[in-house]
Amino acid sequence: MLISKADFDTSTGASETYTSTASPCLSDNQTTLKDDGTWAGGYVGAEDCYVSRTPNSVTIIGAKGDAAAGQWVMSGSNRIKFTVSGNNASYGQLSNVGGKVQLTFKDTSQNFISTSVLVKQ
C-alpha cells in the first residue's frame, strides 16, 4: 500500500511530494510481490485519485481500473528489478525507513528520481 510518493526532476530541480495523509486515496495504490517472482499491482479505489488540481493541470496518482503485472527479481540485498509483461524493466533500490519500505527509482535518461514509501502487509 502506497503511503507517499515524491518525484524530483533532475534537469529543472522541480519536486512534488504526495502523502496518504493529505490524499487518503493514495493508499488505494497496491502492489503485491509474490514468492514465485511475479508481482501484481493496481489502483483499487472507486474513484480516480486526484492529488492536485489547478486550472491548467491535474495530477492523478491512481486511475480507476489501472492494473499491471510482471516479474520481479532481487539483486544483492537491496536492488530490485521489475519487468512488465517481459518487456520494459525498471530498477529500484529498496531501503527501510522508519519501519517502512522505501523504493527509489532513478531514471537519468528521463531526468527523474521517484521515491515511493510503502507499508508491508
Side-chain angles (χ1 to χ4, degrees):
M1 174 171 50
L2 184 64
I3 59 173
S4 71
K5 179 172 174 44
D7 294 319
F8 178 72
D9 185 323
T10 59
S11 65
T12 65
S15 66
E16 295 181 283
T17 300
Y18 310 103
T19 68
S20 59
T21 303
S23 301
C25 61
L26 203 65
S27 63
D28 289 333
N29 287 281
Q30 299 179 3
T31 302
T32 302
L33 302 179
K34 300 175 186 173
D35 289 339
D36 66 359
T38 62
W39 68 271
Y43 182 74
V44 299
E47 302 292 330
D48 292 349
C49 184
Y50 295 94
V51 293
S52 70
R53 291 185 194 209
T54 65
N56 297 320
S57 73
V58 174
T59 300
I60 299 175
I61 298 181
K64 187 177 177 181
D66 277 355
Q71 293 76 40
W72 71 275
V73 64
M74 289 292 296
S75 172
S77 62
N78 68 343
R79 188 160 163 79
I80 190 167
K81 174 184 176 184
F82 286 96
T83 306
V84 180
S85 302
N87 295 324
N88 300 326
S90 294
Y91 299 87
Q93 293 290 123
L94 290 171
S95 56
N96 182 331
V97 177
K100 296 176 177 64
V101 176
Q102 180 172 296
L103 178 57
T104 301
F105 290 100
K106 295 181 182 179
D107 186 340
T108 54
S109 68
Q110 297 295 315
N111 300 316
F112 81 90
I113 299 171
S114 179
T115 301
S116 298
V117 178
L118 311 148
V119 174
K120 181 180 176 184
Q121 295 185 344

